[in-house]
Amino acid sequence: MDKLDFRSKEFNQTGKAMYELAKELFPIPRSITGQGFRDSLQILNKTLGGGILKFHSVKSGTKVFDWVIPPEWHINNAFIITPSGEKICDFKKHNLHILNYSEAVDKEVSLEELQDHLYSIEELPNAIPYVTSYYKRHWGFCITHNERKRLKDGIYKVFIDAKHNKEGVLNYADFVIPSTQNKKDEILISTYLCHPSMANNEVSGPVVAIFLAKWLMSLKNRKYNYRFVIVPETIGSIAYIHQNLSHLKNHTKAGFVLSCMGDDNAYSLIHTPKENSLSDKVALHTLKNKENFKEFSFLNRGSDERQYNSPLVNLNIAGVCRTKYGEYKQYHTSEDDLNFISKKGLMGGLQAIQEIVLNLEINDIYQSTTFCEPNLGKRGLYHTLNNGVKQKPISVDFLAYCDGKNDIIDIANILNIQAYEIKELLEKILEYKLLSIAH
Amino acid sequence: MDKLDFRSKEFNQTGKAMYELAKELFPIPRSITGQGFRDSLQILNKTLGGGILKFHSVKSGTKVFDWVIPPEWHINNAFIITPSGEKICDFKKHNLHILNYSEAVDKEVSLEELQDHLYSIEELPNAIPYVTSYYKRHWGFCITHNERKRLKDGIYKVFIDAKHNKEGVLNYADFVIPSTQNKKDEILISTYLCHPSMANNEVSGPVVAIFLAKWLMSLKNRKYNYRFVIVPETIGSIAYIHQNLSHLKNHTKAGFVLSCMGDDNAYSLIHTPKENSLSDKVALHTLKNKENFKEFSFLNRGSDERQYNSPLVNLNIAGVCRTKYGEYKQYHTSEDDLNFISKKGLMGGLQAIQEIVLNLEINDIYQSTTFCEPNLGKRGLYHTLNNGVKQKPISVDFLAYCDGKNDIIDIANILNIQAYEIKELLEKILEYKLLSIAH
Amino acid sequence: MDKLDFRSKEFNQTGKAMYELAKELFPIPRSITGQGFRDSLQILNKTLGGGILKFHSVKSGTKVFDWVIPPEWHINNAFIITPSGEKICDFKKHNLHILNYSEAVDKEVSLEELQDHLYSIEELPNAIPYVTSYYKRHWGFCITHNERKRLKDGIYKVFIDAKHNKEGVLNYADFVIPSTQNKKDEILISTYLCHPSMANNEVSGPVVAIFLAKWLMSLKNRKYNYRFVIVPETIGSIAYIHQNLSHLKNHTKAGFVLSCMGDDNAYSLIHTPKENSLSDKVALHTLKNKENFKEFSFLNRGSDERQYNSPLVNLNIAGVCRTKYGEYKQYHTSEDDLNFISKKGLMGGLQAIQEIVLNLEINDIYQSTTFCEPNLGKRGLYHTLNNGVKQKPISVDFLAYCDGKNDIIDIANILNIQAYEIKELLEKILEYKLLSIAH
């Protein structure tokens, strides 16, 4: 696997391209089922050059473990006409105005009755909140708190043109970028695509995942298979696990749910319940020295890691974010928009997961092949003139810890470097046959 | 097992009843053997309604492991007549005036000789200290330091009417409140009853133990058998272990020595040597968030946990106190009197050990029965309308950690609640068959 | 093993004798091979009374693991004549002036060319640095920075009368002070003797080692065999391990590299890679409460512990120093002279390693032989009169932790005493048969 050049022109162009993709995905009215979700998957497929994503569907009504796939939701239009004839909460202007999965309605109601179907946030008076009701039928609108306060008594016309199709489907996609070494072990990269017009949560997740895939496909060597999963959140990952449980359990070595990958404020790790799985270890190693790094226990989980780590599934999948969902006030509102993310933010998110991959790829357990320290000076790996003050070169420290028990991440933690930084040195050392794989 | 209602009227009446029992026990002249000890046991038996305590005796001279049961001590009267004819250190006025286990004496002595037989505390000049000499024959008096300083030269008459009866016995009592589920595992509750007129150390220990027993007997369900042991300190627990060693080793799952349970200043845990036995775990979980909680290592032990945890006995019994013996200045003096304890203090002590019992009773290891998270919304255990800001309900967090390895106390520690608080939720979840016992 | 009397007159005389030995060794021009090394070994042997050290040699050109024994170096004379005719960098005045292992030279050079062969330290302008080039042929001189700055343009005569003899040898010595109990386990004491005129690093190491040996030989009882190894650093320990690998692996229970043992500023422990071997445990226990104690990870290693702990050798040998090499500015310069060490400093170093030995010798795992606490009062090991305030004596705490799992160092750590301080008490307890060896 090639080392990442984070300062290359190509890498900078990647930031721009990611932001463009986010812009293209942003306005589409998505939900956990329906046309918006399918359209979004097609855009991702096109970005990878086409023919990469494998599309799957599960029929509404299908039992998946303890759940049932809901009817597919179609939403065409929705608005309210005020007593003074003004059209507000217009779905065509902002798709967050509709309660996601709302049922249809077409009637006149008093303000009092209407209030029971409005959702707003007092603390963020200019934001439209994102509210869903997938498994219980309601109708409703999301509205800024300022606009809500202006509503006067009188008769309101409420109109929602929506359908719940029991003959519909739930869609998702996956694909595997194969190991170049014919190995069976997989790294799982999972992201969700069901939220409508919000930028950090969630289009940044699929955007970074797709550019991670592009980069992985460009590499000459890959030890692992990389399984990408793009689903609607919760019900999608449950359906995915339902269809693929035994394969996932047999092959998954580590994995990450990517979410909120595009802002510029922090790096976050949501631990697995065990806190010491390979996923935890490599993500902590990679992220711990980044600016504003925050570590969260599994108690703070909130996305598909809930399903992947449920007791009987138990895949040890960590969550990786820039600023974690729920940790910024714009979260789940119209203020999580394209201004909240940036090229730099997306690039930071991509770089973080690329470094995680580089660290996974290089990680292995090696064992010294010589008794005592080898003579590194004669191989150009140690200074030959010794004044006792010069620091020992990293070569000698690295070899000293290759005891057949520490893996490279363990040693890199001791040496306070990133595991992937050892790559060039490791190659020289392997050429000199000073180490052998320990297992 | 029913949940404890700490605000009930009944519970308040309990505080009053406990204080009354303490008052009744307080004045009796007790020692490690003799009539005072037997009288005190009878009062405890009566408090439980009679017929509950099983009385045992071991003959003086009996070898119990490395020890020999001492002769039984009889004390009738003791005093000193000063040169001016004043009667001081009058046993009839305060039974702490006599060196506990003192031999008889009836003679005249100079002040100089008398001084060798007086015990007082310079730092607590108005307190009569509590001093004992069980295994070496002495005569002596305990006196306030202020009174001692007033003694003038001259001839003193010292009179102690005491006997050491080699044909006597050492008494103790025990009883078991049985499991309602026919299980064999026992929880040991041990307390000592040999100290004369002191309130926190020690009548509060037996008082709380007896009211714990009353409450346990009132419960409809008990997973465990509860073994209560009421002994003279040290020699009594050694004798008890000697008579019951193999039963205790086979059945004891956890246990607690109750001592100093009636003041209102702190909650204390004395750890077992291992520090991570079930006794340690449940007591730490229960007490750690209480006001003025103090954790002590086994190095700070001082009561019968010394015997229960001695290397070959090894029962893993923790100590539970309000303010620990040795940690308050009135300890082992006449100032540890009925004013030092209170209804509220005793109620706090009882509540602490009741909560420990509730946490023990609910504790078990469960395993999820469904792959992925179950659909809690359809069972009323999760909100169906989701704005992404609402906290996940405790139901989903609880289930996420039921992995067949964590027990309920582990999970309650993660969720920062008391294990017994999960009871109602657990019952619902078990009704829905979302969990099964893991072992 | 007798307890150490650190205040004895004999012990004070030892400080003086150690300093005298350091003075005798100091001026000898040593290197990793050659006459200076052999002369120094002879002085050590004489100090022990003769006939103790076993001398070994390995021929130049011999392969030892990944290394080859270098030619033996002979150095007779070296100096520079300045353009004004002054003789500087005179080897006869200070043997640090010569680049250690320098090749011969006899020619005239410009100042510019000369500069490439001079070594000085800007930050320590009056110090001659110690520089070596064992495995690559150079010629060079070490000079104070102040003198170097005074050098003027012109033609310099450089003269080095040195030889590299391919038919030479590398010398080292070892000896074993045997167990008086016929046991096989060994404690390794390793020190190096290749540095020329420097005092803390290194003559203090061999000096303390030799006086440790003297003391060990004077003892009536020794549980362990003590293997002393005196080698040139790095190549010497590699050669030693090469000749003795299987014996060392089979018998070494713990061990210490002694270096920088003569200054008065700190006590230092360099951990093994595992950090919890017996060597780490006993050294940490012994040193942790000493003034200015510093703990270093294996990352900070720098001496022969590098070889002893290399992954396939894996002997778990810790480093013990007063102020660790590299941690004082005079290190590896002419300012690490006889003023940098002191009688008191050497005595502190000797005492530290003697205490380590005492703690190793007493350390064992014991198990109580009685159920419950034994009656210590009847054996004079506990007060018989109890006022509840007196501290439990150490006897009862010590026995409470003798559970067949804790060793004496574990218990001493709990009791916050030195393991060897328990000796007298342990002997009494063993006499009373209250403990038996657990393994």
CSV table of all heavy atoms in Angstrom, one decimal, chain B residues 213-248:
chain,number,residue,atom,x,y,z
B,213,ALA,N,-33.1,-8.0,59.2
B,213,ALA,CA,-33.8,-9.3,59.3
B,213,ALA,C,-35.3,-9.2,59.2
B,213,ALA,O,-35.9,-10.0,58.5
B,213,ALA,CB,-33.3,-10.1,60.5
B,214,LYS,N,-35.8,-8.3,60.0
B,214,LYS,CA,-37.3,-8.1,60.0
B,214,LYS,C,-37.8,-7.8,58.6
B,214,LYS,O,-38.8,-8.3,58.1
B,214,LYS,CB,-37.6,-6.8,60.8
B,214,LYS,CG,-38.1,-7.0,62.2
B,214,LYS,CD,-38.1,-5.7,63.0
B,214,LYS,CE,-39.5,-5.3,63.4
B,214,LYS,NZ,-40.0,-6.0,64.6
B,215,TRP,N,-37.1,-6.9,57.9
B,215,TRP,CA,-37.5,-6.5,56.5
B,215,TRP,C,-37.3,-7.7,55.6
B,215,TRP,O,-38.2,-8.0,54.8
B,215,TRP,CB,-36.6,-5.3,56.1
B,215,TRP,CG,-36.7,-4.9,54.7
B,215,TRP,CD1,-37.8,-4.2,54.1
B,215,TRP,CD2,-35.8,-5.1,53.6
B,215,TRP,NE1,-37.5,-4.0,52.8
B,215,TRP,CE2,-36.3,-4.5,52.5
B,215,TRP,CE3,-34.5,-5.7,53.6
B,215,TRP,CZ2,-35.6,-4.5,51.2
B,215,TRP,CZ3,-33.8,-5.7,52.4
B,215,TRP,CH2,-34.4,-5.2,51.2
B,216,LEU,N,-36.2,-8.4,55.7
B,216,LEU,CA,-36.0,-9.6,54.8
B,216,LEU,C,-37.1,-10.6,55.0
B,216,LEU,O,-37.6,-11.2,54.0
B,216,LEU,CB,-34.7,-10.2,55.1
B,216,LEU,CG,-33.4,-9.6,54.4
B,216,LEU,CD1,-32.1,-10.1,55.1
B,216,LEU,CD2,-33.4,-9.8,52.9
B,217,MET,N,-37.5,-10.8,56.3
B,217,MET,CA,-38.6,-11.8,56.5
B,217,MET,C,-39.9,-11.3,55.9
B,217,MET,O,-40.8,-12.1,55.6
B,217,MET,CB,-38.7,-12.0,58.0
B,217,MET,CG,-37.5,-12.8,58.6
B,217,MET,SD,-37.7,-13.3,60.3
B,217,MET,CE,-37.8,-11.7,61.1
B,218,SER,N,-40.1,-10.0,55.7
B,218,SER,CA,-41.4,-9.5,55.2
B,218,SER,C,-41.5,-9.6,53.7
B,218,SER,O,-42.5,-9.3,53.1
B,218,SER,CB,-41.5,-8.0,55.6
B,218,SER,OG,-40.7,-7.2,54.8
B,219,LEU,N,-40.4,-9.9,53.0
B,219,LEU,CA,-40.3,-9.9,51.6
B,219,LEU,C,-41.0,-11.2,51.0
B,219,LEU,O,-40.8,-12.3,51.6
B,219,LEU,CB,-38.9,-9.8,51.1
B,219,LEU,CG,-38.2,-8.5,51.5
B,219,LEU,CD1,-36.7,-8.6,50.9
B,219,LEU,CD2,-38.9,-7.3,50.9
B,220,LYS,N,-41.6,-11.1,49.9
B,220,LYS,CA,-42.2,-12.3,49.3
B,220,LYS,C,-41.2,-13.2,48.6
B,220,LYS,O,-41.3,-14.4,48.5
B,220,LYS,CB,-43.3,-11.8,48.2
B,220,LYS,CG,-44.5,-11.2,48.9
B,220,LYS,CD,-45.6,-11.0,47.8
B,220,LYS,CE,-46.5,-9.9,48.2
B,220,LYS,NZ,-46.0,-8.6,47.6
B,221,ASN,N,-40.2,-12.5,48.0
B,221,ASN,CA,-39.2,-13.2,47.3
B,221,ASN,C,-37.8,-13.0,47.8
B,221,ASN,O,-37.4,-11.8,48.1
B,221,ASN,CB,-39.2,-12.8,45.8
B,221,ASN,CG,-40.4,-13.4,45.1
B,221,ASN,OD1,-40.4,-14.7,45.0
B,221,ASN,ND2,-41.3,-12.6,44.6
B,222,ARG,N,-37.0,-14.0,47.9
B,222,ARG,CA,-35.6,-13.9,48.3
B,222,ARG,C,-34.8,-14.9,47.4
B,222,ARG,O,-35.0,-16.1,47.6
B,222,ARG,CB,-35.3,-14.1,49.8
B,222,ARG,CG,-35.8,-13.1,50.7
B,222,ARG,CD,-35.5,-13.5,52.2
B,222,ARG,NE,-36.2,-14.7,52.5
B,222,ARG,CZ,-37.4,-14.8,53.1
B,222,ARG,NH1,-38.1,-13.7,53.3
B,222,ARG,NH2,-37.9,-16.0,53.3
B,223,LYS,N,-33.9,-14.4,46.6
B,223,LYS,CA,-33.1,-15.4,45.8
B,223,LYS,C,-32.1,-16.1,46.8
B,223,LYS,O,-31.9,-17.3,46.7
B,223,LYS,CB,-32.3,-14.6,44.8
B,223,LYS,CG,-31.4,-15.4,43.9
B,223,LYS,CD,-31.0,-14.7,42.6
B,223,LYS,CE,-30.1,-13.5,42.9
B,223,LYS,NZ,-29.7,-12.8,41.7
B,224,TYR,N,-31.5,-15.3,47.7
B,224,TYR,CA,-30.5,-15.9,48.6
B,224,TYR,C,-31.0,-16.3,49.9
B,224,TYR,O,-32.1,-15.8,50.4
B,224,TYR,CB,-29.4,-14.8,48.8
B,224,TYR,CG,-28.6,-14.5,47.6
B,224,TYR,CD1,-28.7,-13.3,47.0
B,224,TYR,CD2,-27.7,-15.5,47.1
B,224,TYR,CE1,-27.9,-13.0,45.8
B,224,TYR,CE2,-26.9,-15.2,45.9
B,224,TYR,CZ,-27.0,-14.0,45.3
B,224,TYR,OH,-26.3,-13.7,44.2
B,225,ASN,N,-30.3,-17.1,50.6
B,225,ASN,CA,-30.4,-17.3,52.0
B,225,ASN,C,-29.6,-16.3,52.7
B,225,ASN,O,-28.5,-15.9,52.3
B,225,ASN,CB,-29.9,-18.7,52.4
B,225,ASN,CG,-30.6,-19.8,51.7
B,225,ASN,OD1,-31.7,-20.3,52.2
B,225,ASN,ND2,-30.0,-20.3,50.6
B,226,TYR,N,-30.2,-15.7,53.8
B,226,TYR,CA,-29.4,-14.7,54.6
B,226,TYR,C,-29.1,-15.3,55.9
B,226,TYR,O,-29.9,-15.6,56.7
B,226,TYR,CB,-30.3,-13.4,54.7
B,226,TYR,CG,-30.4,-12.8,53.3
B,226,TYR,CD1,-31.3,-13.2,52.4
B,226,TYR,CD2,-29.5,-11.8,53.0
B,226,TYR,CE1,-31.4,-12.6,51.1
B,226,TYR,CE2,-29.5,-11.2,51.7
B,226,TYR,CZ,-30.5,-11.6,50.8
B,226,TYR,OH,-30.5,-11.0,49.6
B,227,ARG,N,-27.8,-15.4,56.1
B,227,ARG,CA,-27.3,-16.0,57.4
B,227,ARG,C,-26.8,-14.9,58.3
B,227,ARG,O,-25.9,-14.1,58.0
B,227,ARG,CB,-26.1,-16.9,57.1
B,227,ARG,CG,-25.4,-17.4,58.4
B,227,ARG,CD,-24.3,-18.5,58.1
B,227,ARG,NE,-25.0,-19.7,57.5
B,227,ARG,CZ,-25.4,-20.7,58.3
B,227,ARG,NH1,-25.1,-20.7,59.6
B,227,ARG,NH2,-26.0,-21.7,57.7
B,228,PHE,N,-27.5,-14.7,59.5
B,228,PHE,CA,-27.2,-13.7,60.4
B,228,PHE,C,-26.3,-14.4,61.6
B,228,PHE,O,-26.7,-15.4,62.1
B,228,PHE,CB,-28.4,-13.1,61.0
B,228,PHE,CG,-29.1,-12.1,60.1
B,228,PHE,CD1,-29.8,-12.6,59.0
B,228,PHE,CD2,-29.0,-10.7,60.3
B,228,PHE,CE1,-30.4,-11.7,58.1
B,228,PHE,CE2,-29.6,-9.8,59.4
B,228,PHE,CZ,-30.3,-10.3,58.3
B,229,VAL,N,-25.2,-13.7,61.9
B,229,VAL,CA,-24.3,-14.2,62.9
B,229,VAL,C,-24.1,-13.1,64.0
B,229,VAL,O,-23.7,-12.0,63.6
B,229,VAL,CB,-23.0,-14.6,62.3
B,229,VAL,CG1,-22.0,-15.0,63.4
B,229,VAL,CG2,-23.2,-15.8,61.3
B,230,ILE,N,-24.4,-13.4,65.2
B,230,ILE,CA,-24.3,-12.4,66.3
B,230,ILE,C,-23.3,-13.0,67.3
B,230,ILE,O,-23.7,-13.9,68.0
B,230,ILE,CB,-25.6,-12.0,66.9
B,230,ILE,CG1,-26.6,-11.6,65.8
B,230,ILE,CG2,-25.5,-10.9,67.9
B,230,ILE,CD1,-28.1,-11.5,66.2
B,231,VAL,N,-22.1,-12.4,67.4
B,231,VAL,CA,-21.1,-13.0,68.2
B,231,VAL,C,-20.3,-12.0,69.0
B,231,VAL,O,-20.5,-10.8,68.8
B,231,VAL,CB,-20.0,-13.7,67.3
B,231,VAL,CG1,-20.5,-15.0,66.6
B,231,VAL,CG2,-19.6,-12.7,66.2
B,232,PRO,N,-19.6,-12.4,70.0
B,232,PRO,CA,-18.6,-11.5,70.6
B,232,PRO,C,-17.5,-11.4,69.6
B,232,PRO,O,-17.1,-12.3,68.9
B,232,PRO,CB,-18.1,-12.2,71.9
B,232,PRO,CG,-18.4,-13.7,71.6
B,232,PRO,CD,-19.7,-13.7,70.8
B,233,GLU,N,-16.9,-10.1,69.5
B,233,GLU,CA,-15.9,-9.8,68.5
B,233,GLU,C,-14.7,-10.7,68.6
B,233,GLU,O,-14.3,-11.1,69.7
B,233,GLU,CB,-15.5,-8.4,68.5
B,233,GLU,CG,-15.1,-7.8,67.2
B,233,GLU,CD,-14.7,-6.3,67.3
B,233,GLU,OE1,-14.6,-5.8,68.5
B,233,GLU,OE2,-14.5,-5.6,66.3
B,234,THR,N,-14.1,-11.0,67.5
B,234,THR,CA,-12.8,-11.8,67.4
B,234,THR,C,-13.0,-13.3,67.9
B,234,THR,O,-13.2,-14.2,67.0
B,234,THR,CB,-11.6,-11.1,68.1
B,234,THR,OG1,-11.5,-9.8,67.5
B,234,THR,CG2,-10.3,-11.9,67.9
B,235,ILE,N,-13.0,-13.5,69.2
B,235,ILE,CA,-13.1,-14.9,69.7
B,235,ILE,C,-14.4,-15.5,69.2
B,235,ILE,O,-14.5,-16.7,68.9
B,235,ILE,CB,-12.9,-15.0,71.2
B,235,ILE,CG1,-12.8,-16.4,71.7
B,235,ILE,CG2,-14.0,-14.2,72.0
B,235,ILE,CD1,-11.6,-17.2,71.2
B,236,GLY,N,-15.4,-14.7,69.2
B,236,GLY,CA,-16.7,-15.2,68.7
B,236,GLY,C,-16.8,-15.6,67.3
B,236,GLY,O,-17.3,-16.7,66.9
B,237,SER,N,-16.2,-14.8,66.4
B,237,SER,CA,-16.2,-15.1,65.0
B,237,SER,C,-15.3,-16.3,64.7
B,237,SER,O,-15.5,-17.1,63.9
B,237,SER,CB,-15.9,-13.9,64.1
B,237,SER,OG,-14.7,-13.3,64.5
B,238,ILE,N,-14.2,-16.3,65.5
B,238,ILE,CA,-13.3,-17.5,65.4
B,238,ILE,C,-14.0,-18.8,65.8
B,238,ILE,O,-13.9,-19.8,65.1
B,238,ILE,CB,-12.0,-17.3,66.2
B,238,ILE,CG1,-11.2,-16.1,65.7
B,238,ILE,CG2,-11.2,-18.6,66.3
B,238,ILE,CD1,-10.0,-15.7,66.6
B,239,ALA,N,-14.7,-18.7,66.9
B,239,ALA,CA,-15.5,-19.9,67.3
B,239,ALA,C,-16.5,-20.3,66.3
B,239,ALA,O,-16.8,-21.4,65.9
B,239,ALA,CB,-16.2,-19.7,68.7
B,240,TYR,N,-17.2,-19.2,65.7
B,240,TYR,CA,-18.3,-19.5,64.7
B,240,TYR,C,-17.7,-20.1,63.5
B,240,TYR,O,-18.3,-21.1,62.9
B,240,TYR,CB,-19.0,-18.2,64.4
B,240,TYR,CG,-20.2,-18.4,63.6
B,240,TYR,CD1,-21.4,-18.8,64.3
B,240,TYR,CD2,-20.2,-18.4,62.2
B,240,TYR,CE1,-22.6,-19.1,63.6
B,240,TYR,CE2,-21.4,-18.7,61.5
B,240,TYR,CZ,-22.5,-19.1,62.2
B,240,TYR,OH,-23.7,-19.4,61.5
B,241,ILE,N,-16.6,-19.6,63.0
B,241,ILE,CA,-15.9,-20.2,61.8
B,241,ILE,C,-15.5,-21.6,62.1
B,241,ILE,O,-15.7,-22.5,61.3
B,241,ILE,CB,-14.8,-19.3,61.4
B,241,ILE,CG1,-15.3,-17.9,60.9
B,241,ILE,CG2,-13.9,-20.0,60.3
B,241,ILE,CD1,-14.2,-16.9,60.7
B,242,HIS,N,-15.0,-21.8,63.3
B,242,HIS,CA,-14.5,-23.2,63.7
B,242,HIS,C,-15.7,-24.2,63.6
B,242,HIS,O,-15.5,-25.3,63.1
B,242,HIS,CB,-14.0,-23.1,65.1
B,242,HIS,CG,-13.4,-24.4,65.6
B,242,HIS,ND1,-14.0,-25.3,66.4
B,242,HIS,CD2,-12.2,-25.0,65.4
B,242,HIS,CE1,-13.3,-26.3,66.6
B,242,HIS,NE2,-12.1,-26.2,66.0
B,243,GLN,N,-16.9,-23.8,64.1
B,243,GLN,CA,-18.0,-24.7,64.1
B,243,GLN,C,-18.7,-24.8,62.7
B,243,GLN,O,-19.4,-25.8,62.5
B,243,GLN,CB,-19.1,-24.2,65.1
B,243,GLN,CG,-18.6,-23.8,66.4
B,243,GLN,CD,-18.1,-24.9,67.3
B,243,GLN,OE1,-16.9,-25.2,67.1
B,243,GLN,NE2,-18.9,-25.5,68.1
B,244,ASN,N,-18.5,-23.9,61.8
B,244,ASN,CA,-19.2,-23.8,60.6
B,244,ASN,C,-18.4,-23.7,59.3
B,244,ASN,O,-18.9,-23.4,58.2
B,244,ASN,CB,-20.2,-22.6,60.6
B,244,ASN,CG,-21.2,-22.8,61.8
B,244,ASN,OD1,-22.2,-23.5,61.6
B,244,ASN,ND2,-20.9,-22.1,62.9
B,245,LEU,N,-17.1,-24.0,59.4
B,245,LEU,CA,-16.2,-23.6,58.3
B,245,LEU,C,-16.6,-24.2,57.0
B,245,LEU,O,-16.7,-23.5,56.0
B,245,LEU,CB,-14.8,-24.1,58.7
B,245,LEU,CG,-13.7,-23.8,57.6
B,245,LEU,CD1,-13.6,-22.3,57.4
B,245,LEU,CD2,-12.4,-24.4,58.0
B,246,SER,N,-16.9,-25.5,56.9
B,246,SER,CA,-17.1,-26.1,55.6
B,246,SER,C,-18.4,-25.6,55.0
B,246,SER,O,-18.5,-25.3,53.8
B,246,SER,CB,-16.9,-27.6,55.6
B,246,SER,OG,-18.2,-28.2,55.6
B,247,HIS,N,-19.4,-25.4,55.8
B,247,HIS,CA,-20.7,-24.9,55.3
B,247,HIS,C,-20.5,-23.5,54.8
B,247,HIS,O,-20.9,-23.1,53.7
B,247,HIS,CB,-21.8,-24.9,56.4
B,247,HIS,CG,-23.1,-24.3,55.9
B,247,HIS,ND1,-24.0,-25.2,55.4
B,247,HIS,CD2,-23.5,-23.1,55.8
B,247,HIS,CE1,-25.1,-24.4,55.0
B,247,HIS,NE2,-24.8,-23.1,55.2
B,248,LEU,N,-19.8,-22.6,55.5
B,248,LEU,CA,-19.6,-21.3,55.1
B,248,LEU,C,-18.8,-21.2,53.8
B,248,LEU,O,-19.1,-20.5,52.9
B,248,LEU,CB,-18.8,-20.5,56.2
B,248,LEU,CG,-19.6,-20.2,57.5
B,248,LEU,CD1,-18.6,-19.6,58.5
B,248,LEU,CD2,-20.7,-19.2,57.2
